[in-house]
Amino acid sequence: RKLVERLASGRGRPHLAWVQVPVLLPGERTSTRLEPAKSLYGRLAAVEAMDGVVDAGMWAGYAWADEPRCRAAVVVTGDDPVLAVEQTRSLAREYWEMRRDFPFAGPTGGADECVAEAVASSARPFLISDSGDNPTAGGAGDLAFMLGRLLANEDLAAGRATALHPGITDPAAVAECFTAGPGATVRLSVGGGISRGTADHAEPRELTGEVVALRREDPVGGDLAAV
């Protein structure tokens, strides 16, 4: 909208002020429902309303990217270059000064701690998210670490509680399940096909179970097997 307005008015190219902030927070700690992000991002509207400012934006950066250049950034565009620089610096400095105050949007814990809390809780469903393993933003989707921690829990292993692991990308394991067929007992090495060697928790996990369902050529997941 602002680009169209700029072209229609013939006012020319605005100036741009850009400051990178050496802070890299995951999305779970930058929710604009919570302080200090709520107030910090809330300032943008007031900056944009200033005479001489066209647009103001702030980005947290992508914490899971293996890029030295990845960090937070503040950008202000405007016809008044001095004002744009001034407001960009102000927002960036406030971000920097608040860098230790950003809370997680939900409860957090280590894998075993979270599994134990889920087993002990009466709340159902009880969801545990391994947010760093994000297939929609660059993750391979083949980490079996959480599967290993579920299998290591005594209550789950004994059947006193049950858990559902939503999925791990492993075409070779799926092919073994199709070969074995529904109802068959399989012993599989699951995960780590792409991520192996990239981290301590990226190794495959051994799984013994029954093939309970198979699906060919799912439009999203391809061949699928439930064990």
Side-chain angles (χ1 to χ4, degrees):
R1 186 183 308 117
K2 293 187 177 184
L3 174 61
V4 171
E5 289 173 356
R6 177 67 41 159
L7 293 171
S9 68
R11 294 177 63 187
R13 184 188 298 270
H15 300 276
L16 183 148
W18 171 53
V19 174
Q20 285 192 298
V21 187
V23 176
L24 194 57
L25 298 170
E28 295 83 1
R29 292 182 60 189
T30 54
S31 170
T32 53
R33 293 184 293 107
L34 305 175
E35 295 293 355
K38 182 177 181 180
S39 295
L40 185 60
Y41 280 79
R43 280 190 57 195
L44 294 175
V47 173
E48 288 187 347
M50 293 179 175
D51 187 30
V53 173
V54 175
D55 185 72
M58 191 180 308
W59 291 270
Y62 180 53
W64 311 119
D66 296 327
E67 287 282 350
R69 64 193 172 115
C70 192
R71 63 200 70 185
V74 180
V75 178
V76 175
T77 56
D79 295 309
D80 184 335
V82 175
L83 180 62
V85 169
E86 176 186 282
Q87 293 304 313
T88 305
R89 283 178 173 166
S90 175
L91 288 165
R93 181 172 295 281
E94 187 172 352
Y95 198 127
W96 171 255
E97 292 174 348
M98 293 177 171
R99 65 191 183 279
R100 294 187 175 91
D101 300 332
F102 291 83
F104 280 96
T108 62
D112 292 334
E113 178 187 354
C114 290
V115 172
E117 185 175 343
V119 169
S121 174
S122 61
R124 294 294 182 268
F126 193 108
L127 177 68
I128 301 172
S129 171
D130 183 5
S131 56
D133 184 26
N134 188 346
T136 63
D142 72 338
L143 295 182
F145 173 76
M146 284 303 298
L147 172 63
R149 302 327 303 157
L150 290 171
L151 295 173
N153 181 273
E154 293 183 1
D155 289 301
L156 292 171
R160 292 188 292 271
T162 59
L164 173 67
H165 193 294
I168 298 174
T169 299
D170 193 322
V174 171
E176 288 186 52
C177 293
F178 273 89
T179 299
T185 298
V186 291
R187 182 171 178 80
L188 305 169
S189 176
V190 179
I194 301 171
S195 300
R196 188 183 307 191
T198 62
D200 293 339
H201 57 267
E203 297 303 310
R205 305 288 164 171
E206 298 298 320
L207 170 66
T208 299
E210 177 189 351
V211 179
V212 296
L214 298 169
R215 181 171 181 174
R216 286 280 189 197
E217 298 179 354
D218 180 84
V220 175
D223 290 349
L224 305 175
V227 178

